[in-house]
Amino acid sequence: MKSNTFIVILILFIFFVISFLSNILGPIIPDISNSFDLSLGWAGFLPFAFFVSYAVASIPAGILVEKYREKRVLLWAFMLAFVGALLFALMPTFTIALVSLFIIGLGMAMLQVVINPLLRVAGGEPNFAFNSVMGQLFFGGASFLSPMLYSYFVLNVHSNPEPNFIISTLNNLVPADLKWVSVYWTFAIIAILMVVIIWFVRFPEVVLKDDEKIDTGKAFKELLANKYVWLFFLGIFSYVGTEQGIANWTSKFLQIYHNVDPTTLGASVISYFWGLLTIGCFLGLVLLKFFDSRKVLIMFSLGAIVSLLAGLFGPLNVALIAFPAAGFFASVMWSITVSLALNSVPYHHGTLSGILCTGIAGGAVVPLIIGGLGDLFELRYAMLFLLLTLGYILSIGIWAKPLVNNATVNSWKDLLK
């Protein structure tokens, strides 16, 4: 196997790890809430601690990559993830949870900045589009599998009368009343293994393109003076807030209103949410060959709004379908919003991408708002806040005026070209 092929596989696995660590909070929040006797508002600080790190780290991480190169930043990122996960595993308290999640989030933000330019060079420019789609597939696959791993641990740790080696080891490490902590032992092991692997890997030299570089000087000031930069920043903020708002509160919602066990059926719903979000990405690629991206964004936003309302106010059998369906309809929002932003602002795309990535902090703020509103009213009505974020995403399809529209086919002959 050629060394670059191995590196491509390693990078795809990094996509998997980022998603695995980032999207486990949704199914775990009910257990953490019960373990620490948290109100909805305090539970909202868990995703806040994780995703606010993206606002802090995205642009500095780009500067670190240019100064210290990719390998060092990868090592630092996984060391942060290891320290954060191990800290939480050893001292599972609410205060440590917030610190730990922030540290892990810093590592994940650094990885997000590194992997795309590295994937472009390692896999070759002609294969970059294919490898990027593969990265999305690995990312989505991890989000689908991580709730299942959580369910497996909670159902078997301190419960299985004939434990295998892994469960037997976790029985000695994890308190019987905090079974979910086993997930963070797993994270710590994965992170330190990645440190060891990356230490021995020789990465190709990456020469950043102009649209991959981040300039905090003149370019930054010019972009901040452009109203469309702020409008699209809010678009990314709204999308990630919507995604995490649904993913983090659905299991708790089902537990409160339908008496669903969050360790089994609740976790499965979150798993299918991420699974359908991944599948929707590929359908979105097809639709964008035939329709203007703004029309696709409007159509999928309306679908997400209907699904959310059906999940919140329908019976259990409807909610079990509607919440995963919301993931399907959310699938195209990130890629279309980013592409519309890049096609609407004709300069400094590297710095623009860095600014947009700080919008991932929406995943910190929106779940926190929902938790706070849930304490004031109740969770069902608090989750209606997502209508505002979805409404804003829908509005992008109306007011966006890209300089270049996405290419569409007019006939089957065009499609076969």
Side-chain angles (χ1 to χ4, degrees), residues 41-121:
W42 281 109
F45 276 98
L46 295 166
F48 177 85
F50 183 89
F51 282 97
V52 77
S53 60
Y54 279 82
V56 174
S58 292
I59 291 176
I63 297 170
L64 286 175
V65 170
E66 290 195 49
K67 185 172 182 179
Y68 295 106
R69 308 316 304 165
E70 290 72 22
K71 181 171 180 174
R72 284 189 183 183
V73 175
L74 286 173
L75 289 170
W76 294 338
F78 277 113
M79 278 303 300
L80 284 171
F82 169 71
V83 170
L86 185 64
L87 189 65
F88 199 1
L90 291 172
M91 294 182 286
T93 66
F94 179 61
T95 302
I96 294 297
L98 297 179
V99 175
S100 167
L101 291 169
F102 180 76
I103 294 172
I104 295 172
L106 290 176
M108 297 305 100
M110 292 167 69
L111 291 176
Q112 292 271 24
V113 172
V114 174
I115 53 177
N116 280 307
L118 192 57
L119 183 62
R120 173 179 59 79
V121 173

Side-chain angles (χ1 to χ4, degrees), residues 238 241-242 246 301-310 312-313 366 370 373 380-395:
S238 296
T242 300
I246 296 173
S301 297
L302 289 171
I305 290 170
V306 171
S307 297
L308 176 66
L309 291 173
L312 291 177
F313 295 100
V366 173
I370 292 172
L373 292 174
R380 170 176 280 135
Y381 300 110
M383 291 183 71
L384 289 176
F385 181 80
L386 295 171
L387 294 179
L388 294 179
T389 57
L390 284 169
Y392 186 82
I393 295 167
L394 187 152
S395 77

Side-chain angles (χ1 to χ4, degrees), residues 235 238 293-305 333 337 340 387-400:
S238 296
S293 62
R294 291 166 293 182
K295 293 180 179 178
V296 175
L297 185 62
I298 291 171
M299 179 173 62
F300 273 59
S301 297
L302 289 171
I305 290 170
M333 295 178 183
T337 302
L340 284 173
L387 294 179
L388 294 179
T389 57
L390 284 169
Y392 186 82
I393 295 167
L394 187 152
S395 77
I396 294 173
I398 299 172
W399 55 255

Side-chain angles (χ1 to χ4, degrees), residues 144 246 249-277 306-329 380 383:
F144 178 75
I246 296 173
W249 287 115
T250 292
S251 184
K252 188 68 176 177
F253 173 89
L254 294 173
Q255 182 187 39
I256 292 172
Y257 295 100
H258 300 293
N259 296 315
V260 167
D261 183 354
T263 64
T264 53
L265 186 55
S268 295
V269 171
I270 302 303
S271 178
Y272 288 122
F273 170 85
W274 291 114
L276 286 177
L277 192 147
V306 171
S307 297
L308 176 66
L309 291 173
L312 291 177
F313 295 100
L316 176 60
N317 61 331
V318 172
L320 295 178
I321 297 172
F323 283 120
F328 173 81
F329 289 114
R380 170 176 280 135
M383 291 183 71

